Amino acid sequence: MSESKDVVFPGLHVKVQPAGRTLVNLDTIVYTEDSKVSTTTVTLLGFPVVVEATAMSYRWSFGDGPTVTTTSPGKPYPAKEITHKYMKRGGVKVSLTTNYSARFNVAGTGWQYIAGTVPITGPATPLQVREAVPVLVDPPR
């Protein structure tokens, strides 16, 4: 006898600071708040199977070419743990691929680890990159 079920690991959302838009040559902060151990229980052949997914690494795609891989989900301002500087203006989509390690436990018999990692890409976060130009003006007298 055999039975199988698909278990979906979460695709994490990217948070961006400043939100929605940033400036050329400005440190743009990225992070995710959703990073935690994901646990799901399914029933296979009448036995409960607990499946646990743990985020091991994060690959940040900034939408303009470069990517960076970290072992941290990042933190919001003022941490500046994971940042990116855009070099030209335009619309980009920032995405995050999380590499999960997984393990399972059949009916309380003990944890068994699955070899390798499972990459899951979350939804893209749109971001407008704008350019600010300083202008000198005469102050009012």
Side-chain angles (χ1 to χ4, degrees):
M1 291 177 52
S2 70
E3 183 178 7
S4 66
K5 288 193 180 173
D6 289 333
V7 176
V8 179
F9 294 171
L12 304 183
H13 292 77
V14 177
K15 303 277 187 172
V16 179
Q17 288 180 323
R21 62 181 179 226
T22 190
L23 293 173
V24 169
N25 284 322
L26 176 74
D27 277 336
T28 303
I29 299 168
V30 295
Y31 64 99
T32 184
E33 293 178 325
D34 304 330
S35 181
K36 58 184 178 291
V37 175
S38 174
T39 304
T40 304
T41 302
V42 296
T43 301
L44 291 173
L45 299 173
F47 295 99
V49 179
V50 179
V51 180
E52 192 175 273
T54 304
M56 300 303 290
S57 66
Y58 307 85
R59 193 175 114 251
W60 306 88
S61 298
F62 298 103
D64 63 345
T67 63
V68 66
T69 301
T70 66
T71 56
S72 168
K75 294 179 183 171
Y77 181 84
K80 286 189 161 188
E81 191 173 308
I82 304 166
T83 63
H84 180 70
K85 285 186 182 181
Y86 290 93
M87 296 294 120
K88 60 183 180 179
R89 64 182 178 194
V92 295
K93 293 183 186 238
V94 185
S95 63
L96 174 60
T97 300
T98 307
N99 291 303
Y100 289 98
S101 69
R103 65 184 188 161
F104 64 94
N105 187 334
V106 180
T109 59
W111 290 104
Q112 297 181 48
Y113 291 84
I114 298 170
T117 58
V118 178
I120 303 292
T121 301
T125 300
L127 180 66
Q128 276 297 320
V129 181
R130 297 190 174 162
E131 192 169 13
V133 179
V135 177
L136 294 175
V137 296
D138 284 333
R141 297 191 194 258

